[in-house]
Amino acid sequence: MATLAFDSLRFARRLREAGVPEPQAEAQAELMAEAFGFYADNIVTRDYLDAVLRAGFGEQEQRFEQITGRFRRVDGKFEQMERRFEQIDRRFEQIDDRFEQVDARFEQMERRFEQVDARFEQIEGRFKQLDKRFEQIDKRLDKLDVRLEKLEPLRVQATLHSFMLGLIVLVLVAPQLQLWLSP
């Protein structure tokens, strides 16, 4: 480090020329010399500062290189992650396409079920018509049953009459047939 020189005599002479009394000028010069002497060891020169800064910057550059290397590795990892995310995005797009296909199939099935439901409603309407028709037939059969119940005694009478007529025919026609058929 370069030495710092302080001319205390010159300092005292300038103070006297400025009008400061001599004992005061000398006291101030001595105090200044002591102060310069005390702080001279602590004063930083440009050369010293340049050397210290170069050494510090060298260390910093090494650190920056280390950090830059780490950032490069991290960037590499991020690039790997980006590629992986792109793959995942493509998979999601494929899955979305599949869901759209499934949705389309469900829509077709829904339309088909609506058609089947409409057909079942038609069939149900036909069954209701058949039920009404059967009710009408049942009512008519009930009326016929009532009428047949009323005709039952007549049927018995008709059967008896038929039997009697048959007997009469037999009694009357049989002798005549015997006459015609006998030689």
Side-chain angles (χ1 to χ4, degrees):
M1 225 193 300
T3 351
L4 190 60
F6 179 73
D7 189 357
S8 59
L9 292 175
R10 185 173 172 208
F11 183 75
R13 188 177 41 123
R14 296 249 343 237
L15 285 174
R16 280 191 302 262
E17 288 173 2
V20 175
E22 188 171 332
Q24 266 185 336
E26 284 178 13
Q28 282 183 10
E30 284 176 16
L31 285 173
M32 285 301 280
E34 282 179 29
F36 270 100
F38 178 76
Y39 290 110
D41 291 335
N42 297 325
I43 293 178
V44 177
T45 64
R46 178 178 285 175
D47 293 337
Y48 175 77
L49 185 60
D50 285 343
V52 169
L53 287 176
R54 263 188 241 111
F57 281 131
E59 288 177 19
Q60 291 300 321
E61 283 182 31
Q62 287 176 352
R63 282 181 156 173
F64 281 132
E65 283 301 319
Q66 290 174 348
I67 291 171
T68 303
R70 287 181 185 164
F71 277 129
R72 283 188 203 114
R73 287 192 298 275
V74 168
D75 284 344
K77 297 262 184 199
F78 276 125
E79 288 173 4
Q80 288 175 350
M81 288 173 59
E82 281 296 323
R83 287 192 296 272
R84 186 72 179 129
F85 279 130
E86 288 171 2
Q87 292 172 349
I88 290 170
D89 285 343
R90 283 193 295 274
R91 277 296 282 160
F92 274 124
E93 287 172 4
Q94 291 171 349
I95 290 170
D96 285 343
D97 291 343
R98 291 285 300 188
F99 275 126
E100 287 175 10
Q101 291 172 357
V102 168
D103 284 344
R105 289 293 301 225
F106 275 126
E107 287 175 9
Q108 288 175 349
M109 290 174 65
E110 278 186 22
R111 285 193 296 274
R112 194 76 178 118
F113 278 127
E114 288 172 0
Q115 291 171 350
V116 168
D117 286 344
R119 188 78 176 126
F120 275 130
E121 287 176 8
Q122 290 175 347
I123 290 171
E124 190 176 319
R126 296 289 301 272
F127 275 126
K128 286 180 182 178
Q129 289 174 348
L130 286 174
D131 286 343
K132 286 181 184 177
R133 186 84 171 143
F134 279 127
E135 286 175 11
Q136 290 172 351
I137 290 171
D138 282 343
K139 286 178 185 177
R140 287 178 75 190
L141 285 175
D142 287 344
K143 287 180 184 177
L144 285 175
D145 282 344
V146 169
R147 285 176 76 189
L148 280 175
E149 285 175 8
K150 288 181 184 176
L151 292 177
E152 186 62 30
L154 293 176
R155 186 180 69 82
V156 171
Q157 281 180 352
T159 305
L160 185 60
H161 283 233
S162 296
F163 177 72
M164 296 287 278
L165 275 173
L167 195 59
I168 291 174
V169 167
L170 231 142
V171 168
L172 292 176
V173 174
Q176 281 298 319
L177 278 175
Q178 275 181 351
L179 284 175
W180 288 341
L181 294 172
S182 21

